[in-house]
């Protein structure tokens, strides 16, 4: 998908209420046809942009989708304003369409053979590299998490640190889960019989809305650690750390398409993913009120479904292996023994 | 053929070991009871269409009573019982199954139509073995790698098919009871009898009332059971179509589900395979149990260079199969389980003709009464043909060819199902290469249709989810 210059994107947005703020950043009202009530007041700019002491104007980032290893805008040309809890504008994020979701599934399917075919050791190396890249960007993530959740900087740093440690924890699982979840079966006959776990395939992950980085890492890392590929719908409210995570993934030797990240409306993106015949499994952790409807849609092709947990999840607690095994299939191979 | 000098004398197994009652009630809370609405259905012997018995049809009120009994038993007796005590009940049941195995084998052959050779040598030994296996787990669940203090789910609703009636019951009930759950099980409408004798065995073992409840009936009874608000777990073996309906029904509830559904297994024969062994495996793969096997090797993928040779040997071997009286110990192929299933097999094989595949039928005489379909092989089948895509669930083999290993894998995986597959080659690395790439839950290499209680069984994709058998089989009944 080709990049469009900012200017042309703006011209495509003609007719919308546009509030400019210093630095040329604009916050638009939500469009009535997006299903949300039209916003009368334009979003306020959050903090005044940090103009460097030298009087230099900061270069801002465009938050885009991450599909097939590239960073396209939504094919629909849409975006939506992302705000902090007080309503201050943080940035515009891409408002992905159903078509973007389908493209993401195609990319994830294409990447599945290669990624699931890597050795478990190699997947562990790549995932550990992701943690290294996360560590290098700790400050940036802490800024984004602090802004998204309006938490003190110190708390945000702790959450980012927990997310990095969580990633390392799952990186270490890649070459151990088969020993734990599989094994030899002592059948009553002269047969070699071995059960091994294999990745389910393409998993659509609805990230938890409340924990934009730690929650996202906690649901995404286990999916890809075992060799699945993922289409992730980021927290609708706070998608910016997710996009930055995608930038980390893109620079960590993770093959394109293994993780595909969509930002936008859950209600628009989740139903087509839940009904998509080339999606093998759903993680409904962040599906909220849509969970039952999505599970029902998943029944059409018998997708594996991880239901949302009952009650609130403590994302800082050490997880068990449930999120790893939820997206594994057990394959059992028999062979006669004889001379 | 010149080998008519060796003729078979009939060797029928005696029916006298089975004491059939004329009618059976529902088994609820440890006792047989009449259904609230007084409806019943007749179960027939598919080999001669003789009515074997009348069986109650459970309505919603009966299902409700059964679930309530299971809940009571779960809360007051079975849930709190130490695992070691539960284990002893299961060992007891296993022993009684062994003691009464001939009776059950004959009964199963009568009600299902499958040959006594199979019920006697495959079904019943596996049934007892399954109870023995899971009995041993009951007091060792903390060692199963499913959490330090694994807890049961509660009441399990279990719906099973007609192809292996008692074996499917064992696959469902043994792990459920071992883990501390209680069950309400619905056997298939055409094969309810062995489950009702199992109910008697529960009484004989003095299993506490309500731990096992058997509600007979058809689809309506199954639907009522699956949808019942008082069940915590649904386990189903049957068609993919019904499996999807169940997945829809439980969506948005807290019920846990395991589904073991249809298949269209590929049996891949490479050119270096031991061809006579492969031919035996192909025959076992598709004609075992009249092809009423979800994991049947119903698509033969044979390497082009040996295709002619394999087909010739295969037809010769199939021609020696003996079809007829299921109770005759010589019989290899029994009756099709029901008129409805026979219609389905006829319809799909008719479509095979219409779509241009070539039909070959083993020369064998069909008995005049009962439901019968001769072993059939379709050649010239392409991936687009419906007989290569849809589960026929009968003794019908579709033959496709391939040139390269990559093509074999591609074709084998080109199906929404993913239950089983076979690989025949003398080269170990090729076998493992192929097994790695097949998207199926069970791969039989240089063998086919082998089952064991220690070995997990279940599918990928639309063949369902969850595993039955082995340590994995505990997972569907445990809260970690």
């Amino acid at each position: 998908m080709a990049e469009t210059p900012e200017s042309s994107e703006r011209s495509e947005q003609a007719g919308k209420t546009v509030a400019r703020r210093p630095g040329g950043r604009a916050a638009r009202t939500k469009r009535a046809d997006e299903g949300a009530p039209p916003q009368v007041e334009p979003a306020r700019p959050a903090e005044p942009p940090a103009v460097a002491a030298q009087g230099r104007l900061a270069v801002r980032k465009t938050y885009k989708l991450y599909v097939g290893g590239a960073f396209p805008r939504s094919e629909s040309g849409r975006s939506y304003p992302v705000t902090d809890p007080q309503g201050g504008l943080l940035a515009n994020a891409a408002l992905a369409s159903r078509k973007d979701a389908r493209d993401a599934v195609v990319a994830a399917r294409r990447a599945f053979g290669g990624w699931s075919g890597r050795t478990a050791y190699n997947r562990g190396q790549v995932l550990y590299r992701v943690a290294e890249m996360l560590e290098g960007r700790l400050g940036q993530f802490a800024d984004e998490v602090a802004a998204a959740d309006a938490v003190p900087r110190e708390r945000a740093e702790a959450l980012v640190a927990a997310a990095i440690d969580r990633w390392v924890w799952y990186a270490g699982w890649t070459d151990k889960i088969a020993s734990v979840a599989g094994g030899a079966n002592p059948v009553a006959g002269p047969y070699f019989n071995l059960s091994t776990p294999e990745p389910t395939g393409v998993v659509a992950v609805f990230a938890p809305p409340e924990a934009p980085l730690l929650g996202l890492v906690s649901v995404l890392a286990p999916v890809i650690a075992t060799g699945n590929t993922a289409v992730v719908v980021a927290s609708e409210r706070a998608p910016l750390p997710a996009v930055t995570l995608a930038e980390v993934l893109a620079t960590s030797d993770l093959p394109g398409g293994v993780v595909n990240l969509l930002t936008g409306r859950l209600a628009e993106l989740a139903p087509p993913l839940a009904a998509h015949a080339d999606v093998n499994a759903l993680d409904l952790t962040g599906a909220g009120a849509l969970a039952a409807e999505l599970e029902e849609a998943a029944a059409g092709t018998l997708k594996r479904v991880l239901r949302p947990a009952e009650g609130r999840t403590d994302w800082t607690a050490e997880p068990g292996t449930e999120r790893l095994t939820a997206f594994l299939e057990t394959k059992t191979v028999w062979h006669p023994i004889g001379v | 053929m010149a080998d008519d000098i060796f003729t078979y004398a009939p060797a029928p197994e005696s029916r006298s070991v089975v004491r059939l009652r004329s009618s059976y009630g529902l088994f609820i809370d440890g006792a047989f009871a009449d259904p609230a609405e007084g409806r019943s259905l007749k179960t027939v012997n598919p080999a001669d269409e003789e009515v074997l018995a009348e069986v109650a049809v459970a309505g919603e009120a009966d299902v409700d009573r059964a679930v309530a009994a299971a809940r009571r038993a779960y809360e007051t007796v079975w849930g709190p019982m130490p695992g070691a005590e539960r284990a002893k009940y299961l060992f007891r049941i296993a022993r009684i199954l062994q003691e009464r195995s001939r009776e059950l084998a004959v009964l199963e052959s009568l009600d299902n139509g499958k040959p006594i050779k199979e019920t006697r040598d495959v079904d019943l030994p596996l049934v007892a073995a399954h109870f023995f296996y899971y009995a041993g787990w009951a007091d060792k669940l903390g060692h199963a790698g499913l959490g330090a203090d694994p807890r049961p789910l509660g009441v399990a609703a279990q719906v099973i098919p007609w192809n292996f009636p008692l074996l499917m019951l064992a696959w469902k009930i043994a792990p459920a009871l071992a883990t501390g759950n209680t069950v309400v099980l619905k056997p298939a409408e055409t094969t309810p009898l062995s489950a009702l004798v199992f109910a008697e065995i529960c009484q004989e073992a003095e299993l506490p009332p309500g731990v096992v409840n058997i509600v007979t009936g058809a689809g309506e009874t199954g639907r009522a059971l699956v949808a019942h608000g008082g069940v915590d777990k649904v386990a189903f073996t049957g068609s993919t179509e019904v499996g999807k309906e169940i997945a829809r029904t439980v969506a948005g509830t807290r019920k846990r589900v395991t589904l073991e559904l249809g298949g269209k297994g590929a049996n891949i024969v490479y050119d270096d395979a031991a061809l006579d062994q492969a031919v035996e495996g192909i025959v076992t793969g598709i004609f075992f149990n009249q092809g009423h096997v979800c994991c049947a090797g119903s698509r033969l993928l044979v390497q082009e260079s040996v295709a002619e040779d394999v087909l010739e040997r295969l037809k010769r071997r199939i021609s020696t199969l003996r079809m007829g009286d299921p109770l005759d110990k010589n019989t290899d192929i029994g009756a099709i389980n029901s008129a409805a299933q026979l219609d389905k097999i006829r319809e799909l094989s008719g479509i095979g003709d219409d779509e241009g595949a070539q039909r070959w039928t083993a020369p064998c005489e069909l008995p005049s009464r009962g439901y019968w379909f001769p072993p059939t092989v379709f050649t010239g089948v392409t991936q687009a043909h419906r007989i290569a895509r849809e589960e026929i669930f009968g003794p019908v083999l579709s033959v496709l060819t391939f040139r390269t290993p990559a093509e074999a894998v591609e074709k084998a995986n080109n199906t929404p199902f993913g239950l089983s597959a076979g690989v025949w080659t003398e080269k170990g690395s090729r076998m493992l290469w192929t097994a790695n790439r097949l998207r199926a839950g069970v791969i039989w290499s240089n063998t086919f249709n082998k089952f064991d209680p220690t070995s997990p069984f279940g599918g990928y994709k639309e063949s369902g989810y969850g595993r039955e058998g082995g340590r994995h089989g505990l997972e569907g009944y445990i809260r970690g």
Side-chain angles (χ1 to χ4, degrees):
Chain A
M1 279 170 230
E3 299 264 332
T4 22
E6 288 291 322
S7 56
S8 73
E9 187 197 43
R10 285 284 140 72
S11 64
E12 287 160 17
Q13 309 289 350
K16 291 201 189 92
T17 317
V18 172
R20 292 198 178 274
R21 66 173 199 190
R25 207 61 176 174
R28 298 189 305 279
T29 56
K30 290 179 183 175
R31 285 167 20 183
D33 61 2
E34 284 158 17
Q39 214 174 306
V40 182
E41 290 292 314
R44 291 175 292 104
E47 293 297 304
V51 177
Q54 301 87 343
R56 183 182 165 273
L57 197 60
V59 176
R60 285 180 171 167
K61 181 165 88 184
T62 308
Y63 287 87
K64 298 196 277 187
L65 307 176
Y66 179 52
V67 177
F71 288 90
R73 291 189 176 80
S74 169
E75 61 80 35
S76 66
R78 302 176 305 174
S79 64
Y80 72 110
V82 175
T83 63
D84 63 24
Q86 283 76 47
L89 178 76
L90 295 171
N92 293 312
L95 185 65
S97 66
R98 284 185 289 268
K99 174 76 165 76
D100 293 318
R102 289 196 299 271
D103 290 344
V105 173
V106 170
R109 173 59 59 195
R110 195 172 291 146
F112 177 67
W115 183 241
S116 59
R118 297 275 181 110
T119 64
Y121 175 66
N122 182 257
R123 278 201 303 274
Q125 292 280 296
V126 171
L127 293 196
Y128 189 76
R129 178 74 178 157
V130 171
E132 291 176 346
M133 295 295 104
L134 280 168
E135 187 81 29
R137 295 229 210 175
L138 199 152
Q140 183 189 359
F141 278 112
D143 287 343
E144 285 182 347
V145 169
D149 284 353
V151 292
R153 167 81 196 192
E154 211 169 290
R155 167 79 183 143
E157 267 178 34
L159 289 170
V160 175
I164 299 170
D165 292 352
R166 177 68 34 81
W167 199 283
V168 172
W169 192 77
Y170 278 118
W173 264 116
T174 59
D175 51 5
K176 293 156 196 77
I177 189 68
S179 313
V180 172
N185 306 302
V187 296
Y191 293 93
F192 167 86
N193 179 296
L194 188 73
S195 292
T196 36
E198 292 190 346
T200 296
V202 174
V203 184
V205 177
F206 307 115
E210 75 279 8
L213 184 67
L214 178 57
L216 170 67
V217 162
S218 300
V219 295
L220 175 61
V223 166
I224 61 171
T226 54
N228 294 292
T229 57
V231 175
V232 185
V233 179
S235 167
E236 179 174 330
R237 173 189 70 81
L240 303 184
V243 179
T244 305
L245 176 69
E247 293 162 10
V248 165
L249 300 176
T251 52
S252 304
D253 297 330
L254 190 75
V258 172
V259 173
N260 304 277
L261 183 103
L262 304 172
T263 56
R265 307 276 177 242
L266 183 72
E268 182 180 5
L269 299 173
L273 287 170
H276 198 299
D278 213 18
V279 170
N280 297 95
L282 304 181
D283 179 346
L284 296 181
T285 301
L290 295 175
E293 173 199 322
L294 298 176
E295 186 180 342
E296 204 176 326
T301 54
L302 290 164
K303 294 176 181 68
R304 286 74 178 118
V305 174
L306 181 64
R307 291 178 180 149
E310 282 169 285
R312 229 183 138 70
T313 304
D314 174 11
W315 293 109
T316 60
E318 184 182 296
T321 54
E322 188 208 5
R323 291 186 170 278
L324 290 161
T325 55
F327 306 112
L328 289 174
E329 308 288 329
T330 299
K331 175 185 282 178
T332 300
V333 178
W334 292 67
H335 196 279
I337 296 171
V339 288
Chain B
M1 276 189 281
D3 49 13
D4 281 350
I5 15 167
F6 299 108
T7 52
Y8 283 88
E13 181 69 51
S14 168
R15 276 182 68 153
S16 64
V17 66
V18 172
R19 292 171 304 276
L20 276 174
R21 291 190 242 155
S22 60
S23 71
Y24 289 85
L26 307 168
F27 184 65
I28 296 176
D29 211 10
F32 284 93
D34 290 334
E37 294 166 46
R39 288 182 298 155
S40 66
L41 54 82
K42 291 182 171 65
T43 182
V44 304
N45 178 348
D48 59 11
E49 300 173 57
E50 167 208 2
V51 174
L52 294 169
E54 279 202 14
V55 172
V57 171
E60 276 186 30
D62 305 305
V63 167
D64 200 48
R65 273 197 309 133
V67 172
R71 171 67 53 194
R72 202 160 47 242
Y74 171 68
E75 282 170 0
T76 60
V77 188
W78 200 248
M81 187 183 290
E85 297 298 298
R86 288 201 309 268
K88 286 189 281 182
Y89 278 109
L90 292 176
F91 281 126
R92 243 190 215 184
I93 289 171
R95 274 288 189 242
I96 300 172
L97 284 165
Q98 285 180 318
E99 287 158 9
R100 296 178 66 172
S101 72
R102 187 56 54 90
E103 170 197 352
L104 286 161
V106 173
L107 177 66
E108 198 83 307
S109 282
L110 284 173
D111 204 16
N112 171 282
K114 64 167 73 187
I116 185 72
K117 208 162 69 174
E118 289 177 9
T119 50
R120 184 194 61 199
D121 298 346
V122 180
D123 294 56
L124 262 296
L126 281 173
V127 167
H130 227 83
F131 276 93
F132 266 105
Y133 177 75
Y134 279 108
W137 267 123
D139 54 358
K140 302 168 190 69
L141 299 173
H143 302 280
L146 300 168
D149 182 27
R151 308 292 310 148
L153 301 172
V155 175
Q158 305 181 317
V159 178
I160 57 170
W162 46 260
N163 57 343
F164 294 90
L166 196 61
L167 184 56
M168 292 300 104
L169 174 148
W171 282 25
K172 295 282 179 290
I173 292 185
L177 297 197
T179 46
N181 299 277
T182 57
V183 308
V184 180
L185 176 130
K186 190 198 86 70
E189 62 178 301
T190 59
T191 56
L193 296 180
S194 54
L196 293 163
V197 172
F198 180 81
E200 292 173 7
I201 290 174
C202 291
Q203 289 177 323
E204 199 178 324
E206 293 170 359
L207 189 72
V211 173
V212 168
N213 304 274
I214 311 272
V215 290
T216 45
E220 193 192 327
T221 306
R223 267 189 289 275
L225 179 56
V226 166
H228 196 286
V231 309
D232 304 290
K233 154 85 187 181
V234 175
F236 171 74
T237 297
S239 72
T240 289
E241 188 192 349
V242 175
K244 288 179 180 179
E245 187 187 322
I246 289 173
R248 267 180 220 111
T249 304
V250 301
T253 71
R254 301 310 304 178
K255 290 176 193 171
R256 291 262 295 269
V257 198
T258 42
L259 301 171
E260 202 270 90
L261 309 174
K264 192 74 191 176
N267 207 352
I268 300 172
V269 179
Y270 285 112
D271 59 4
D272 71 328
L275 292 187
D276 285 329
Q277 287 174 32
V279 164
E280 286 305 307
I282 296 163
V283 167
T284 304
I286 186 61
F287 301 122
F288 174 62
N289 204 34
Q290 296 74 246
H292 300 328
V293 184
C294 46
C295 53
S298 52
R299 285 183 299 154
L300 172 62
L301 290 173
V302 57
Q303 197 151 15
E304 214 172 80
S305 48
V306 292
E308 239 173 86
D309 191 1
V310 167
L311 276 170
E312 197 190 304
R313 293 180 201 222
L314 181 64
K315 288 173 183 172
R316 201 161 55 220
R317 176 67 183 92
I318 294 171
S319 302
T320 67
L321 294 173
R322 297 186 62 80
M323 178 174 204
D325 180 8
L327 287 185
D328 190 324
K329 288 173 244 180
N330 296 314
T331 295
D332 298 305
I333 299 190
I336 299 301
N337 178 250
S338 65
Q341 186 57 29
L342 182 58
D343 286 346
K344 192 188 154 194
I345 297 168
R346 283 181 177 151
E347 188 202 334
L348 269 165
S349 44
I351 288 167
D353 296 328
D354 296 345
E355 290 187 332
Q358 288 84 54
R359 184 200 291 240
W360 176 86
T361 299
C364 63
E365 262 178 57
L366 301 188
S368 53
R369 295 178 64 204
Y371 317 126
W372 303 93
F373 197 89
T376 297
V377 176
F378 278 101
T379 50
V381 179
T382 75
Q383 297 185 82
H385 285 163
R386 280 182 63 188
I387 52 169
R389 311 200 64 78
E390 295 176 32
E391 187 176 41
I392 299 174
F393 221 66
V396 181
L397 179 68
S398 298
V399 183
L400 297 89
T401 58
F402 68 91
R403 289 184 180 177
T404 64
E407 186 188 347
V409 168
E410 180 83 27
K411 284 183 169 169
N413 288 337
N414 183 10
T415 166
F417 298 114
L419 190 50
S420 73
V423 186
W424 297 85
T425 170
E426 290 297 280
K427 192 175 175 197
S429 57
R430 182 181 294 140
M431 183 279 278
L432 292 171
W433 181 92
T434 309
N436 274 348
R437 280 160 183 76
L438 292 170
R439 301 287 290 164
V442 185
I443 313 288
W444 284 294
S445 29
N446 293 331
T447 185
F448 212 96
N449 270 343
K450 289 283 180 289
F451 307 94
D452 193 276
T454 68
S455 179
F457 184 93
Y460 283 41
K461 302 194 280 184
E462 294 191 20
S463 289
Y465 33 76
R467 291 292 177 270
E468 294 183 297
R471 185 185 66 84
H472 293 80
L474 298 168
E475 213 173 312
Y477 291 96
I478 273 181
R479 207 183 300 281

